[in-house]
Amino acid sequence: MSNLFDTKPPADSDGKSYNASQIKKLEGLEAVRHRPGMYIGGVDSRSLHHMAAEIIDNSMDEAVAGHANRIEVELYADGSLAVTDNGRGIPVDMHESGKSALELIFTSLHSGGKFDGKAYKTSGGLHGVGSSVVNALSEKLIVEVARDKKLWKQKYSKGKPTTPVEKISDVNNRRGTKVRFYPDKEIFGDNIFIASKLHRLVRSKAYLFKGVEIRWRCDKSKISKENPVPEKETFHFPNGLSDYLSHQIGKRACVSSRAFSGDILEDDGIGRVEWCIQWTVDGDGFANSYCNTVPTPQGGTHENAFRSALTKALKNYGEILGEKKASGITSSDVCDEASYLLSVFISEPQFQSQTKDRLSSPEATKLVEGLVRDRFEQWLSSDPQSARQILDYIIERMEERNKRRIQKEARRKSPTRKLRLPGKLADCSDKNSVDTEIFLVEGDSAGGSAKQGRNRKTQAILALKGKILNVASANKEKINANQEIKDIIMALGCGTRKEFDINKLRYGRIVIMTDADVDGAHIATLLMTFFYREMPQLIEQGHLYLAMPPLFRLVYKNTSFYARDEKHKDKLLKTEFPKNAKVNVSRFKGLGEMLPKQLKETTMNPETRSLIKVCVPKRNKANESNLEESRETDNMVETLMGKKPEKRFNFIQENAHFVSDIDI
Ligand code: TTJ
């Protein structure tokens, strides 16, 4: 083994081992360990996964530049992550400081740019992290470079080299870079890589750049029910963004059957723009833009240009059709409820703002504006049916916007802004929205018991008639016309979707209280779907709960117990009563059968009841992994509750083997 690249600092001309700039660099990495938050935003799970993204982005850059087409990402049992690409390999040659370029990249803070001269450099720029930061925060990092028929290797610990850059062997047919790193427990504590987060991240990268194949490998020990990822998978999406958008839209109904998508390479061969847009009937859109496969959650020049291009094209098309209303369309009408992905590839992107999540490069405007507008006009003329559907939909959005504005003005002007409440709401007497709660109860008889069993001061009851409408398979008009849904919205007072305002919520807790049987579970599911679709922030902010009414009552002499389910009942029978006692077990057919006192005791009284809090991941546009998680929740709701029964069928087929303890 030859030690061509000694890590010992070389003596400079004055014979001193260190010069000032080297000392400064040393301080740099110490500073990263001292204040990791300053460099990666924190020491939590999110920041940890940020480290993975940073390393993967380096390989993505090499792929986007056209020098690699395969990336492998492996999660090991020991908690380390390895990323390998078949690119040119990081240069190992000597830098003027006397160190190898490779070592400098991993040990000095602002190493990007100077030696790499990469065409598509986002890593270390956008995330602002850089591989040296990842190195500094890793207990161990090993880099291997296959380049010019030689394999080189260097190891580090907490950012400092523990071996020189060594030549390991000759290699004939290998090229590329491999980095394996072990995040430092001293920094990240108990946070470890989560297989499903990495799997999602890696998949999104493959969607975002169709020129790459990404191989995923994961140790068995990292896979569980909570992290149901395959041990091995290969991602390659030749249809890129179109596939990604279909994946994200899932089975939601769309305004036109075809998506508008395109992919344009600029003449000079450097700039590239790719996009895909669809309008869903439910109007719940999402917009994600990227630069060099890295998310730009705050948008920027590329996104503004895209929205403006679409709007101009559509207005122009409307004018050609003689559709007068089209002249009033704004980019908000066109884009706010659309679902689109926009991805640009440019060299040396510029970002605005501290967090670097808003693109400011003027080239992006030039790249997107004209090209997308032309393409959209062509597309609209080539498919008049889709064009008409989209135009009509967008004119509707415009009219709705105008209506909202007029209503708002009218409300502002009218002196009496009286609160309207549904007739059948038994409201509580307290008016604060912190300690109060509303029970949504299935059926009038249960409603009756609940009204008698409640604390009038703080507990309101709204009895719903049987099964509410499934909002996931109904259109907007049907939802708006449904009395039960109107009552819920009115009682809560906080509005839905765009008009949602948490400050107007009239209760601190919304408790879904249904029978402890399958029908009750179905109603609870329908209600959760309603809240998830119409007021997701309500769930995100922890206001939605499920009551836990008992299914059994166990009586022996003068002691009685309530059991939630079969299992709980058996446990109570074993543990709470004398052996062979003749316990009287009765099963409640429904809440309505319970005495108000029993209902209060078991399900409503805050002192004695238990509630289940309904949780969803809080939507965070700035975090790709989190966004993907939210989309997966969206898709799951759509699969389980949406219009297409075959999706449910497939889900059951695929997941039946997970089911172990069914209570029948
Ligand atoms: C830079 O310009 C000369 C040829 O090599 C270019 C380069 O840096 N390529 C490169 C870096 N490929 N892969 C990486 C890389 C891969 C991983 C997994 C981690 C890091 C930090 C960089």
Side-chain angles (χ1 to χ4, degrees), residues 120 263-273 345 363 366-368 371 375:
Y120 291 90
D263 185 351
I264 299 175
L265 185 70
E266 230 186 13
D267 296 338
D268 61 10
I270 300 245
R272 190 154 85 74
V273 53
F345 296 92
E363 305 101 276
K366 275 216 337 259
L367 177 66
V368 175
L371 295 176
R375 280 287 186 99

Side-chain angles (χ1 to χ4, degrees), residues 132-405:
S132 59
V133 172
V134 175
N135 193 17
L137 301 177
S138 296
E139 201 177 299
K140 204 160 85 178
L141 185 145
I142 306 159
V143 56
E144 282 174 34
V145 170
R147 200 177 150 87
D148 301 331
K149 306 204 173 202
K150 290 176 191 67
L151 182 67
W152 305 90
K153 185 170 180 169
Q154 187 170 33
K155 296 185 184 180
Y156 313 82
S157 174
K158 304 178 183 181
K160 293 182 181 158
T162 55
T163 73
V165 177
E166 288 174 323
K167 191 179 129 194
I168 297 299
S169 61
D170 292 323
V171 282
N172 257 332
N173 42 15
R174 211 182 121 192
R175 229 181 44 140
T177 307
K178 174 173 185 173
V179 169
R180 179 168 174 182
F181 67 104
Y182 301 69
D184 194 347
K185 290 187 192 67
E186 278 175 30
I187 307 280
F188 295 101
D190 293 337
N191 294 307
I192 51 170
F193 283 130
I194 295 168
S196 55
K197 281 195 187 202
L198 295 173
H199 181 259
R200 262 195 298 265
L201 172 73
V202 165
R203 187 181 54 192
S204 81
K205 292 290 177 189
Y207 274 127
L208 285 163
F209 184 61
K210 51 186 147 196
V212 70
E213 176 189 293
I214 306 186
R215 295 183 182 169
W216 160 263
R217 274 145 106 27
C218 180
D219 188 86
K220 259 204 180 87
S221 65
K222 297 279 168 184
I223 304 172
S224 63
K225 210 165 160 182
E226 290 71 39
N227 288 293
V229 300
E231 270 180 81
K232 266 180 153 184
E233 192 170 0
T234 301
F235 297 113
H236 178 222
F237 301 108
N239 297 322
L241 285 192
S242 302
D243 279 355
Y244 200 13
L245 193 74
S246 321
H247 163 83
Q248 289 177 2
I249 287 186
K251 288 290 166 187
R252 286 154 61 189
C254 293
V255 173
S256 75
S257 59
R258 279 175 64 220
F260 168 53
S261 59
D263 185 351
I264 299 175
L265 185 70
E266 230 186 13
D267 296 338
D268 61 10
I270 300 245
R272 190 154 85 74
V273 53
E274 193 181 343
W275 71 89
C276 189
I277 181 166
Q278 273 268 32
W279 288 263
T280 55
V281 174
D282 60 29
D284 251 344
F286 53 84
N288 297 144
S289 59
Y290 305 83
C291 179
N292 301 355
T293 80
V294 178
T296 42
Q298 298 292 325
T301 43
H302 55 336
E303 204 166 328
N304 293 344
F306 181 69
R307 293 167 66 101
S308 139
L310 293 174
T311 309
K312 282 180 185 154
L314 201 66
K315 280 171 86 159
N316 189 28
Y317 182 77
E319 203 174 305
I320 293 167
L321 279 195
E323 175 58 81
K324 291 211 178 62
K325 288 176 181 168
S327 64
I329 292 172
T330 66
S331 63
S332 236
D333 302 328
V334 179
C335 298
D336 283 1
E337 297 189 16
S339 297
Y340 64 82
L341 298 171
L342 169 69
S343 168
V344 297
F345 296 92
I346 54 174
S347 54
E348 311 274 327
Q350 302 285 308
F351 297 93
Q352 210 179 48
S353 87
Q354 279 263 291
T355 44
K356 297 195 173 173
D357 43 19
R358 186 181 179 86
L359 186 69
S360 63
S361 305
E363 305 101 276
T365 311
K366 275 216 337 259
L367 177 66
V368 175
E369 211 167 39
L371 295 176
V372 175
R373 181 180 170 171
D374 287 353
R375 280 287 186 99
F376 196 32
E377 282 175 11
Q378 286 165 21
W379 186 87
L380 290 166
S381 325
S382 73
D383 184 354
Q385 193 195 345
S386 295
R388 188 76 241 183
Q389 287 164 330
I390 291 167
L391 187 62
D392 287 348
Y393 176 81
I394 284 164
I395 289 174
E396 248 174 66
R397 301 285 78 72
M398 174 189 78
E399 287 171 340
E400 250 174 38
R401 173 172 56 82
N402 289 333
K403 210 162 86 188
R404 273 200 306 275
R405 198 196 59 226

Side-chain angles (χ1 to χ4, degrees), residues 3 38 68 102 114 118 209 224 239 291 335 427 469 487 548 581 607 628 634 663:
N3 287 0
M38 292 265 290
L102 179 68
K114 253 196 242 156
K118 290 188 206 168
F209 184 61
S224 63
N239 297 322
C291 179
C335 298
D427 208 3
L469 177 75
D487 285 349
M548 297 175 69
E607 306 283 317
E628 274 272 319
D634 292 348
D663 295 324

Side-chain angles (χ1 to χ4, degrees), residues 54-56 58-60 62 67-68 82-85 87-91 105-106 115-118 130-131 143 147 176-179:
E54 168 61 31
I55 294 300
I56 294 167
N58 278 283
S59 290
M60 281 304 287
E62 186 69 355
H67 300 293
V83 180
T84 313
D85 66 55
R88 290 165 294 177
I90 301 176
I105 284 176
F106 281 95
F115 354 79
D116 56 10
K118 290 188 206 168
S131 29
V143 56
R147 200 177 150 87
T177 307
K178 174 173 185 173
V179 169

Side-chain angles (χ1 to χ4, degrees), residues 399-417 498-501 504:
E399 287 171 340
E400 250 174 38
R401 173 172 56 82
N402 289 333
K403 210 162 86 188
R404 273 200 306 275
R405 198 196 59 226
I406 292 164
Q407 275 173 357
K408 204 172 166 187
E409 275 166 16
R411 268 204 304 276
R412 203 159 39 82
K413 281 182 194 144
S414 77
T416 50
R417 259 188 290 167
K498 277 194 180 165
E499 278 93 56
F500 181 85
D501 180 358
K504 293 194 182 137

